């Protein structure tokens, strides 16, 4: 990738942005033409096969974040999101972190988990022992239910048994849950795991004497964790009003607040998910599954806490770290046929699932750094409202060059609202007609 063509990317017009991506080697000639011809939209026939009662497409802006250096590789990252400032903040944070060596990532496991949950088990201890003794038979039966994944090197690899007991006085009975750990290779794996769970449920009923109530994967993918780390020298954090050391310490302190206060943690983590969801959505993955799993992971201590940690090392550098459960795939579902999802994977160089996880968790860390840095220095609204002004200009009816004209005036106005944007546009149009 030749990044010289991507310099000041945000200042280029739409067509020049696409041409720059082509010249940089990020997209092909065919992809360039498709973007310029505005033919990326999902066609009605495909849409009708994807969902029931299809009537049309709900468009989401697709952009690219710049400056990412992940495990010593330069990347352009596709993001689908409607909120102003997210991609700008992501690119800004990636530039600072990239100048300090970039992101270093690890993927510890890549296993999905399926559950067969049983009710009315007569003897929990005996049932648990029976399942443990039949472990290999259970795994073999699971693999027989989906042999194609075994041929590709995946399949059911392990199991454990959990007793589900209520610790309140609500009167909920106990249940027994058998967990199967499945390597789903490049797929997210929901269909694979669900098929396996349904296949082994009758055998587990025989072993336990219970009745299978649930046979489905869990989106709490604790065996599919990705971690991203970065180290930023304090001098790179300096702003007009704060020294680098002050910014470093304020970022650390703000994260400490998010660690002990759930009210702050929710907003803190929402900022992380701005970036995570945007890449997950662009890549054709299930952002709802990711959201559910991530927020459960944030509560694993018994209290909802910050997902990121920020600290300083002996050299005084700011050190950031983020770990997320990321059961994403690079094949299956809409990934193989949705035109925008296919483009997103192409932009990233057709990554394997483990690499996609590394990209997503790094974007989450960058997004958090950008948001907290802004929050503890000039305030979150300065940059956000600057970009939000364009949205107000469009809502006011501005078109073409008038959008930026209205936004520029609105940014310096005391009242930044829709009515003020309409008044500015009216004045511009009146001057134009004179």
């Amino acid at each position: 990738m030749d990044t010289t063509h991507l310099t000041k990317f945000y200042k280029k017009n739409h067509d020049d942005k696409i041409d720059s991506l082509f010249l940089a080697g990020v997209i092909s000639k065919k992809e360039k033409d498709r973007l310029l011809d505005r033919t990326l939209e999902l066609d009605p026939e495909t849409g009708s096969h994807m969902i029931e009662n299809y009537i049309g497409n709900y468009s989401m802006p697709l952009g690219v974040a710049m400056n990412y250096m992940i495990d010593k590789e330069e990347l352009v990252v596709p993001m689908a999101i409607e909120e102003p400032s997210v991609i700008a903040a992501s690119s800004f944070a990636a530039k600072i972190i990239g100048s300090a060596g970039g992101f270093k990532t690890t993927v510890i496991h890549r296993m999905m988990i399926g559950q067969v949950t049983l009710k009315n088990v007569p003897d929990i201890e005996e049932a648990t022992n029976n399942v443990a003794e039949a472990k290999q038979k259970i795994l073999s039966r699971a693999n027989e239910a989906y042999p194609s994944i075994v041929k590709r090197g995946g399949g059911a690899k392990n199991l454990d048994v959990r007793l589900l007991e209520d610790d309140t006085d609500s009167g909920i009975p106990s249940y027994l849950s058998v967990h199967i750990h499945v390597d789903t290779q490049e797929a997210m794996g929901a269909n694979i795991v669900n098929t396996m769970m349904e296949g082994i449920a009758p055998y587990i009923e025989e072993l336990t004497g219970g009745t299978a109530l649930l046979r489905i994967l869990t989106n709490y993918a604790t065996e599919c964790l990705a971690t991203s780390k970065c180290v930023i020298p304090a001098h790179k954090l300096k702003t007009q009003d704060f020294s680098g050391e002050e910014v470093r310490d304020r970022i650390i302190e703000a994260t400490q607040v998010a660690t002990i206060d759930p009210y702050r943690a929710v907003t803190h983590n929402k900022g992380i998910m701005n970036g995570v969801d945007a890449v997950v959505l662009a890549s054709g993955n299930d952002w709802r599954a990711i959201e559910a799993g991530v927020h459960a992971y944030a509560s694993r201590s018994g209290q909802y806490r910050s997902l990121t940690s920020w600290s300083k090392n002996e050299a005084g550098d700011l050190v950031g770290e983020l770990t997320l459960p990321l059961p994403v795939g690079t094949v299956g579902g809409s990934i193989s046929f949705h035109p925008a999802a296919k483009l997103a994977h192409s932009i990233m160089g057709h990554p394997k699932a483990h690499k996609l996880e590394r990209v997503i968790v790094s974007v989450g860390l960058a997004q958090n750094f950008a948001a907290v840095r802004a929050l503890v220095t000039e305030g979150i609204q300065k940059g956000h409202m600057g970009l939000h002004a364009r949205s107000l200009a469009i809502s006011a009816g501005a078109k073409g060059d008038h959008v930026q004209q209205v936004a520029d005036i609105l940014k310096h106005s005391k009242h930044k609202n829709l009515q003020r944007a309409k008044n500015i546009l009216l004045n511009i149009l009146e001057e134009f007609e004179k």
Side-chain angles (χ1 to χ4, degrees):
M1 181 170 65
D2 184 358
T3 58
T4 58
H5 294 286
L6 305 179
T7 304
K8 298 191 183 299
F9 187 84
Y10 67 99
K11 289 188 175 182
K12 302 177 188 290
N13 64 37
H14 176 264
D15 289 3
D16 286 344
K17 284 188 174 83
I18 295 170
D19 193 49
S20 294
L21 290 173
F22 170 67
L23 293 173
V26 176
I27 60 175
S28 67
K29 177 66 165 56
K30 183 178 179 180
E31 290 164 339
K32 170 189 170 181
D33 292 342
R34 190 164 192 180
L35 284 166
L36 290 174
D37 293 340
R38 317 290 196 267
T39 58
L40 194 63
E41 181 139 334
L42 195 67
D43 65 85
E45 183 179 355
T46 304
S48 294
H49 288 299
M50 289 178 68
I51 63 170
E52 303 79 17
N53 301 338
Y54 172 84
I55 59 171
N57 299 322
Y58 183 96
S59 296
M60 185 75 74
L62 177 66
V64 286
M66 297 292 169
N67 309 318
Y68 272 90
M69 177 73 73
I70 302 174
D71 297 322
K72 298 183 179 180
E73 180 183 3
E74 291 182 309
L75 287 168
V76 172
V77 181
M79 302 176 73
I81 190 167
E82 85 295 346
E83 184 175 332
S85 81
V86 171
I87 294 178
S90 186
S91 300
F92 170 78
K95 186 174 184 178
I96 293 177
I97 295 170
S99 71
F103 303 89
K104 294 177 176 59
T105 69
T106 54
V107 175
I108 303 172
H109 303 290
R110 186 163 164 77
M111 292 279 181
M112 306 305 148
I113 301 172
Q115 293 180 293
V116 176
T117 305
L118 303 123
K119 66 176 184 177
N120 302 328
V121 177
D123 189 324
I124 296 294
E125 184 176 354
E126 181 182 357
T128 301
N129 290 335
N130 288 346
V131 170
E133 290 174 2
K135 174 182 175 179
Q136 292 305 321
K137 290 183 179 179
I138 295 172
L139 295 179
S140 293
R141 292 196 180 203
N143 288 327
E144 288 170 5
Y146 215 102
S148 61
I149 194 65
V150 179
K151 290 180 181 178
R152 295 196 293 269
K157 302 294 185 181
N158 203 358
L159 69 76
D160 54 52
V161 183
R162 296 173 57 237
L163 175 61
L164 311 181
E165 293 183 294
D166 181 32
D167 57 2
T168 68
D169 296 325
S170 61
I172 297 175
S174 297
Y175 296 89
L176 194 69
S177 188
V178 179
H179 282 202
I180 308 295
H181 302 252
V182 184
D183 178 358
T184 58
Q185 297 288 285
E186 290 303 304
M188 182 271 178
N191 290 332
I192 296 170
V193 175
N194 292 345
T195 299
M196 286 183 169
M197 296 310 100
E198 292 180 0
I200 64 174
Y203 182 48
I204 292 180
E205 286 180 323
E206 292 178 20
L207 292 169
T208 62
T211 301
L213 177 66
L214 303 169
R215 295 152 294 177
I216 192 171
L217 89 162
T218 171
N219 291 124
Y220 190 27
T222 53
E223 296 297 310
C224 188
L225 300 177
T227 299
S228 184
K229 298 180 181 180
C230 65
V231 178
I232 310 171
H235 70 85
K236 292 183 177 291
L237 303 171
K238 182 180 179 181
T239 69
Q240 186 174 346
D241 299 319
F242 297 93
S243 70
E245 289 75 17
E246 287 176 312
V247 175
R248 175 200 63 200
D249 292 344
R250 289 168 74 87
I251 288 173
I252 293 170
E253 291 161 352
T255 306
Q256 290 172 343
V257 173
T259 301
I260 61 176
D261 178 22
Y263 285 84
R264 173 58 203 148
V266 169
T267 310
H268 181 95
N269 291 344
K270 187 268 181 184
I272 294 170
M273 300 311 291
N274 277 344
V276 169
D277 286 347
V279 184
V280 172
L281 182 58
S283 66
N285 276 280
D286 186 349
W287 60 267
R288 299 161 303 279
I290 299 300
E291 280 275 347
V294 163
H295 293 300
Y297 192 71
S299 304
R300 65 193 183 280
S301 69
Q303 177 181 310
Y304 189 87
R305 301 181 185 277
S306 164
L307 287 159
T308 52
S309 68
W310 292 97
S311 59
K312 65 178 179 180
N313 59 19
E314 293 182 358
D317 305 322
L318 178 67
V319 180
E321 182 173 340
L322 173 63
T323 298
L324 298 176
L326 289 173
V328 295
T330 57
V331 298
S334 65
I335 296 170
S336 302
F337 57 81
H338 194 293
K342 290 170 69 175
L343 174 64
H345 284 262
S346 180
I347 288 172
M348 291 184 284
H350 299 286
K352 296 292 186 181
H354 67 85
K355 181 179 176 181
L356 181 57
E357 291 179 39
R358 296 170 192 270
V359 172
I360 293 170
V361 72
S362 297
V363 172
L365 183 58
Q367 213 74 52
N368 181 244
F369 167 70
V372 178
R373 177 191 173 279
L375 188 61
V376 300
T377 54
E378 73 266 19
I380 203 73
Q381 286 298 83
K382 182 179 179 181
H384 182 78
M385 288 305 294
L387 289 165
H388 184 57
R390 290 206 299 268
S391 296
L392 288 172
I394 295 170
S395 297
K399 298 183 183 299
D401 293 340
H402 290 156
V403 173
Q404 194 59 53
Q405 291 175 23
V406 173
D408 288 341
I409 298 173
L410 191 61
K411 282 188 290 187
H412 298 95
S413 299
K414 180 179 180 181
H415 301 291
K416 299 177 179 64
N417 53 42
L418 182 58
Q419 187 56 53
R420 176 60 180 146
K422 288 181 177 179
N423 292 339
I424 293 170
L425 177 61
L426 183 61
N427 291 337
I428 290 173
L429 293 175
E430 287 176 349
E431 285 295 321
F432 181 77
E433 291 174 357
K434 287 181 179 180

